[in-house]
Amino acid sequence: MAQTAALVQTLKKQLKAQGKTYIDVAAALDLSEASVKRLFSEQNFTLQRLEVIAELAGLELTGLFRLMAKEQQRLTRLTREQEQEIASDLELLLVAVSVINGFSYADIVTHYELDEHQCIRKLAQLDRLKIIELQPNNRVKLLVDPNFSWLPNGPIQQFFQAKVEQDFFRSRFDKQHEKLIVLNGVLTPEANLAMQKKMERIAEEFNSQIRDDAPLPMEQKHGNTMVLAIRQWQYSLFKNYRKS
């Protein structure tokens, strides 16, 4: 699944570099634009279609695979020690999350109460951790993979669960930019696993949208958080009524 996602992301990046859109792909495959969007969303390509799209992006399949392999050399996760170092320093965590989300040095000092020297020190620390490469004039080159994620139950995830969870849900979710959907139902383990796979694809689409919006000025964007969760769970009070 991870390999397929990485291949599709590489293909989308090359199509964008060539100025090709879903409409162009639809014409090449003799499909509707909606069908093409569904193919990319579900990441379900035949080898023949993949070859056609790669050619549209100016690549042979072997070239596409080489590009994917090169991109996969980037950091997909930190070690627990690296995450612990970041989680124990709130300013470092702020700068780390910011650069991973596309903030430049100028964006950080403009949007947050960090003076220039503080920001540079934190960027230098991230450079030492190999998360970024701090270049001349404080330019930031991100060294993490587009599908980078924090360690499951790692220091960063634990920090956000402890500090942010209650604040995040302190809302009615009734504004235009908010939405909360809570569903409850009985599923087989196989259906639960299928839903997890779909959630992974939604997460990949979220990351893809972030990359698509990356060239836009920071003033046109706002921080967004999306929570996707599913588990075999029942409200603790209900458990008291269960037969043993």
Side-chain angles (χ1 to χ4, degrees):
M1 181 71 184
Q3 290 287 327
T4 302
L7 185 64
V8 171
Q9 289 302 328
T10 302
L11 184 57
K12 288 174 68 175
K13 186 181 296 184
Q14 294 307 308
L15 285 168
K16 187 174 182 179
Q18 295 293 325
K20 302 299 182 181
T21 66
Y22 284 139
I23 295 175
D24 298 312
V25 176
L29 296 179
D30 195 24
L31 294 172
S32 68
E33 184 181 1
S35 296
V36 169
K37 288 181 178 179
R38 187 163 56 252
L39 283 177
F40 277 91
S41 173
E42 296 176 354
Q43 299 176 352
N44 185 20
F45 298 91
T46 64
L47 190 60
Q48 182 179 10
R49 283 177 172 172
L50 192 62
E51 189 171 13
V52 171
I53 302 171
E55 185 177 344
L56 187 65
L59 293 167
E60 294 183 353
L61 280 180
T62 52
L64 178 63
F65 291 134
R66 279 197 298 269
L67 281 173
M68 180 193 71
K70 184 177 179 180
E71 291 188 356
Q72 284 188 312
Q73 293 173 2
R74 303 179 77 185
L75 202 62
T76 57
R77 279 187 180 168
L78 303 181
T79 64
R80 182 167 291 273
E81 292 73 23
Q82 287 174 313
E83 282 203 5
Q84 188 59 59
E85 181 175 342
I86 295 172
S88 62
D89 183 338
L90 190 57
E91 290 182 356
L92 183 61
L93 177 61
L94 172 64
V95 174
V97 171
S98 296
V99 296
I100 289 173
N101 282 290
F103 278 60
S104 66
Y105 162 77
D107 292 327
I108 295 172
V109 296
T110 298
H111 286 79
Y112 299 112
E113 291 292 338
L114 279 179
D115 66 40
E116 296 181 0
H117 297 297
Q118 284 177 301
C119 187
I120 292 170
R121 283 198 301 271
K122 300 309 176 185
L123 289 173
Q125 199 169 346
L126 295 178
D127 180 280
R128 178 175 58 79
L129 290 170
K130 305 300 182 186
I131 295 172
I132 66 167
E133 181 182 300
L134 186 56
Q135 299 180 332
N137 299 317
N138 298 320
R139 288 183 292 110
V140 174
K141 179 181 180 183
L142 196 59
L143 299 181
V144 300
D145 187 80
N147 294 318
F148 172 85
S149 61
W150 303 114
L151 289 171
N153 200 34
I156 302 293
Q157 190 177 94
Q158 289 175 6
F159 173 88
F160 280 104
Q161 286 176 336
K163 307 292 186 182
V164 180
E165 184 178 21
Q166 289 185 349
D167 185 61
F168 178 82
F169 286 105
R170 194 177 295 123
S171 171
R172 293 173 181 261
F173 290 92
D174 56 358
K175 298 182 177 64
Q176 184 178 5
H177 59 272
E178 297 178 326
K179 193 173 191 67
L180 176 64
I181 299 175
V182 179
L183 302 173
N184 181 266
V186 179
L187 297 174
T188 64
E190 293 76 17
N192 178 286
L193 184 60
M195 289 304 303
Q196 291 187 46
K197 296 293 185 183
K198 291 181 180 180
M199 290 165 63
E200 289 173 3
R201 288 199 290 270
I202 293 172
E204 288 159 6
E205 288 184 29
F206 185 85
N207 288 330
S208 177
Q209 191 62 62
I210 291 173
R211 290 190 291 273
D212 289 345
D213 286 354
L216 299 175
M218 200 58 67
E219 300 77 43
Q220 296 182 20
K221 297 181 286 188
H222 304 277
N224 283 263
T225 298
M226 183 170 69
V227 177
L228 302 171
I230 186 171
R231 58 181 294 208
Q232 292 181 358
W233 176 86
Q234 188 177 41
Y235 186 42
S236 58
L237 290 178
F238 293 166
K239 290 183 180 179
N240 297 331
Y241 292 91
R242 291 176 60 180
K243 289 183 178 181
S244 58

Short mmCIF file of all heavy atoms in Angstrom, two decimals, residues 1 3 11 16-17 24 31 38 52 56-57 72 85 109 122 160 193:
data_model
loop_
_atom_site.label_atom_id
_atom_site.label_comp_id
_atom_site.label_asym_id
_atom_site.label_seq_id
_atom_site.Cartn_x
_atom_site.Cartn_y
_atom_site.Cartn_z
N MET A 1 0.83 -1.21 0.00
CA MET A 1 0.00 0.00 0.00
C MET A 1 0.86 1.25 0.00
O MET A 1 0.63 2.20 -0.73
CB MET A 1 -0.91 -0.02 1.23
CG MET A 1 -1.84 1.17 1.32
SD MET A 1 -3.13 1.10 0.07
CE MET A 1 -3.95 2.65 0.35
N GLN A 3 3.95 1.55 -1.01
CA GLN A 3 4.66 1.66 -2.28
C GLN A 3 3.74 2.23 -3.36
O GLN A 3 4.16 3.07 -4.16
CB GLN A 3 5.18 0.28 -2.72
CG GLN A 3 6.32 -0.25 -1.88
CD GLN A 3 7.62 0.47 -2.16
OE1 GLN A 3 7.88 0.91 -3.26
NE2 GLN A 3 8.45 0.60 -1.14
N LEU A 11 4.00 10.23 -9.52
CA LEU A 11 3.36 10.44 -10.81
C LEU A 11 2.62 11.77 -10.84
O LEU A 11 2.72 12.54 -11.81
CB LEU A 11 2.40 9.28 -11.09
CG LEU A 11 1.69 9.28 -12.46
CD1 LEU A 11 2.70 9.29 -13.59
CD2 LEU A 11 0.78 8.06 -12.57
N LYS A 16 2.22 17.39 -12.72
CA LYS A 16 2.13 18.82 -12.39
C LYS A 16 3.31 19.58 -12.98
O LYS A 16 3.16 20.69 -13.49
CB LYS A 16 2.07 18.99 -10.88
CG LYS A 16 1.81 20.42 -10.44
CD LYS A 16 1.63 20.50 -8.93
CE LYS A 16 1.32 21.93 -8.50
NZ LYS A 16 1.11 22.02 -7.03
N ALA A 17 4.51 18.97 -12.92
CA ALA A 17 5.70 19.62 -13.46
C ALA A 17 5.59 19.83 -14.97
O ALA A 17 6.15 20.79 -15.52
CB ALA A 17 6.94 18.78 -13.13
N ASP A 24 -6.30 16.33 -18.95
CA ASP A 24 -5.35 15.76 -19.92
C ASP A 24 -5.25 14.24 -19.76
O ASP A 24 -5.20 13.50 -20.75
CB ASP A 24 -3.96 16.39 -19.73
CG ASP A 24 -3.96 17.88 -20.00
OD1 ASP A 24 -4.52 18.31 -21.02
OD2 ASP A 24 -3.42 18.62 -19.16
N LEU A 31 -11.36 8.55 -20.71
CA LEU A 31 -12.26 8.43 -19.56
C LEU A 31 -12.79 9.80 -19.19
O LEU A 31 -12.30 10.82 -19.68
CB LEU A 31 -11.50 7.84 -18.35
CG LEU A 31 -10.99 6.41 -18.45
CD1 LEU A 31 -10.11 6.10 -17.24
CD2 LEU A 31 -12.14 5.41 -18.52
N ARG A 38 -11.24 9.41 -9.52
CA ARG A 38 -11.50 8.22 -8.71
C ARG A 38 -10.31 7.24 -8.78
O ARG A 38 -9.94 6.64 -7.77
CB ARG A 38 -12.78 7.53 -9.18
CG ARG A 38 -13.21 6.38 -8.27
CD ARG A 38 -14.66 6.00 -8.50
NE ARG A 38 -14.93 5.67 -9.89
CZ ARG A 38 -15.64 6.44 -10.73
NH1 ARG A 38 -16.14 7.59 -10.29
NH2 ARG A 38 -15.85 6.07 -11.98
N VAL A 52 0.49 4.71 -19.80
CA VAL A 52 -0.03 5.83 -20.59
C VAL A 52 0.14 7.15 -19.83
O VAL A 52 0.58 8.16 -20.38
CB VAL A 52 -1.52 5.61 -20.95
CG1 VAL A 52 -2.12 6.88 -21.57
CG2 VAL A 52 -1.67 4.44 -21.92
N LEU A 56 2.49 10.48 -20.57
CA LEU A 56 1.96 11.83 -20.59
C LEU A 56 2.83 12.76 -19.74
O LEU A 56 2.97 13.96 -20.04
CB LEU A 56 0.52 11.83 -20.04
CG LEU A 56 -0.28 13.13 -20.14
CD1 LEU A 56 -0.52 13.53 -21.59
CD2 LEU A 56 -1.61 12.99 -19.40
N ALA A 57 3.43 12.22 -18.69
CA ALA A 57 4.31 12.99 -17.81
C ALA A 57 5.75 13.03 -18.33
O ALA A 57 6.64 13.55 -17.66
CB ALA A 57 4.29 12.41 -16.41
N GLN A 72 11.89 8.17 -2.00
CA GLN A 72 11.70 7.36 -0.80
C GLN A 72 12.92 7.36 0.11
O GLN A 72 12.85 6.90 1.25
CB GLN A 72 11.33 5.92 -1.17
CG GLN A 72 9.89 5.77 -1.63
CD GLN A 72 9.49 4.33 -1.81
OE1 GLN A 72 10.19 3.56 -2.45
NE2 GLN A 72 8.36 3.96 -1.26
N GLU A 85 13.31 14.77 21.81
CA GLU A 85 14.01 16.04 21.86
C GLU A 85 13.11 17.19 21.41
O GLU A 85 13.11 18.27 22.00
CB GLU A 85 15.26 15.98 20.97
CG GLU A 85 16.07 17.27 20.97
CD GLU A 85 17.36 17.16 20.19
OE1 GLU A 85 17.82 16.02 19.92
OE2 GLU A 85 17.94 18.21 19.85
N VAL A 109 8.72 33.82 11.69
CA VAL A 109 8.92 35.01 12.52
C VAL A 109 7.80 36.03 12.33
O VAL A 109 7.57 36.88 13.19
CB VAL A 109 10.29 35.67 12.23
CG1 VAL A 109 11.43 34.73 12.61
CG2 VAL A 109 10.42 36.09 10.76
N LYS A 122 16.56 27.34 16.51
CA LYS A 122 15.69 26.17 16.39
C LYS A 122 15.83 25.52 15.01
O LYS A 122 15.82 24.29 14.89
CB LYS A 122 14.24 26.55 16.66
CG LYS A 122 13.98 27.12 18.05
CD LYS A 122 14.55 26.25 19.15
CE LYS A 122 14.37 26.89 20.51
NZ LYS A 122 15.03 26.10 21.58
N PHE A 160 0.45 15.71 21.74
CA PHE A 160 -0.77 16.27 21.20
C PHE A 160 -2.02 15.67 21.85
O PHE A 160 -3.01 16.37 22.07
CB PHE A 160 -0.82 16.09 19.68
CG PHE A 160 -0.01 17.11 18.94
CD1 PHE A 160 1.21 16.80 18.39
CD2 PHE A 160 -0.47 18.42 18.81
CE1 PHE A 160 1.97 17.75 17.72
CE2 PHE A 160 0.26 19.38 18.14
CZ PHE A 160 1.49 19.04 17.60
N LEU A 193 -11.01 -3.35 8.88
CA LEU A 193 -9.73 -3.19 8.21
C LEU A 193 -9.89 -2.45 6.88
O LEU A 193 -9.07 -1.60 6.51
CB LEU A 193 -9.09 -4.56 7.97
CG LEU A 193 -7.69 -4.57 7.34
CD1 LEU A 193 -6.71 -3.81 8.24
CD2 LEU A 193 -7.22 -5.99 7.11
#
